[in-house]
Amino acid sequence: MDTSELHNVPRNTGWIEVVCGCMFSGKTEELIRRARRAEIAKQRVAIFKPRIDNRYSAQHIVSHSEQSLTSTVVDDASEILLLCKDAQVVGVDEGQFFKANLVEVCEKLANDGKRVIVAGLDQDYRGKPFEPMPQLLAVAEYITKTLAICVVCGNPADRTQRKTLNADRVLVGAKDIYEARCRHCFEPPSE
Ligand code: ZN
């Protein structure tokens, strides 16, 4: 739920929204949709993403369906505090690629009265919680879990199946390396 669609939007305070799910579930589309609606409402919006993600475009966040939005690349979440002073709405994509301090940064922004929207993977390729997203979910006011479609059976899918044997937690890629699967069809890698 986009908070702008709520009957009871928070007043005189900021808050944190998390949009999480597996790959191909539409997290970034949802972040872009919320940011665009805030811009239409004449709010000042700033979008950030971690440097690790070199897919498609350095200065834009781009969803797998190729919607895009201008964004600022940062090496560490602490840079966001310095770069978004004028923003009323702060968006963060690929939250799982930030360090643990993303949580305190988002808390500070929300405590300063900003609406903070973070999109990210809630599980890694093993199906394990992907820090710092679990910690962020715990302190967020609004949580949206986006589901993809299992490519094997067509069920709603919440897992990201890696199609290679690479065991690095971060392996950037898209449909060549990953696919969405449901709980039943997901095959966790052997430890
Ligand atoms: Zn399935």
Side-chain angles (χ1 to χ4, degrees):
M1 170 71 83
D2 183 338
T3 50
S4 66
E5 294 158 39
L6 292 173
H7 294 298
N8 189 14
V9 178
R11 290 171 206 282
N12 307 317
T13 183
W15 65 87
I16 299 173
E17 302 169 27
V18 175
V19 180
C20 65
C22 63
M23 286 182 71
F24 314 109
S25 65
K27 300 180 300 296
T28 300
E29 278 106 321
E30 181 60 20
L31 173 59
I32 291 171
R33 191 183 78 87
R34 293 183 189 187
R36 287 244 163 87
R37 289 169 64 89
E39 284 176 344
I40 291 167
K42 309 275 187 259
Q43 296 179 325
R44 294 184 298 276
V45 178
I47 307 286
F48 299 92
K49 67 175 187 176
R51 187 172 302 283
I52 195 158
D53 184 13
N54 288 324
R55 283 178 296 184
Y56 309 125
S57 165
Q59 279 83 40
H60 294 82
I61 57 168
V62 182
S63 69
H64 291 294
S65 61
E66 296 189 335
Q67 288 184 290
S68 76
L69 202 67
T70 305
S71 67
T72 303
V73 177
V74 292
D75 290 304
D76 187 90
S78 59
E79 295 170 46
I80 296 173
L81 294 173
L82 305 171
L83 294 169
C84 75
K85 289 210 157 54
D86 294 329
Q88 296 161 288
V89 178
V90 178
V92 178
D93 199 17
E94 304 281 13
Q96 78 282 353
F97 289 152
F98 283 96
K99 293 186 301 215
N101 65 342
L102 177 65
V103 182
E104 58 197 65
V105 167
C106 290
E107 289 259 72
K108 179 148 196 344
L109 295 171
N111 291 344
D112 286 347
K114 299 184 195 298
R115 175 186 177 191
V116 183
I117 312 168
V118 182
L121 291 170
D122 52 358
Q123 297 171 28
D124 66 11
Y125 75 103
R126 301 167 302 165
K128 305 291 187 198
F130 205 152
E131 304 82 18
M133 296 304 289
Q135 289 77 11
L136 210 48
L137 286 164
V139 297
E141 278 87 349
Y142 302 98
I143 296 165
T144 302
K145 183 140 176 169
T146 51
L147 296 171
I149 301 296
C150 176
V151 299
V152 178
C153 76
N155 271 342
D158 75 329
R159 320 262 153 151
T160 303
Q161 182 75 51
R162 185 177 283 183
K163 298 193 280 183
T164 73
L165 291 175
N166 188 307
D168 294 337
R169 196 175 203 193
V170 175
L171 178 62
V172 175
K175 289 193 166 133
D176 51 333
I177 306 178
Y178 297 103
E179 63 189 23
R181 294 212 189 168
C182 72
R183 179 185 294 275
H184 176 74
C185 298
F186 178 68
E187 297 171 64
S190 45
E191 297 294 328

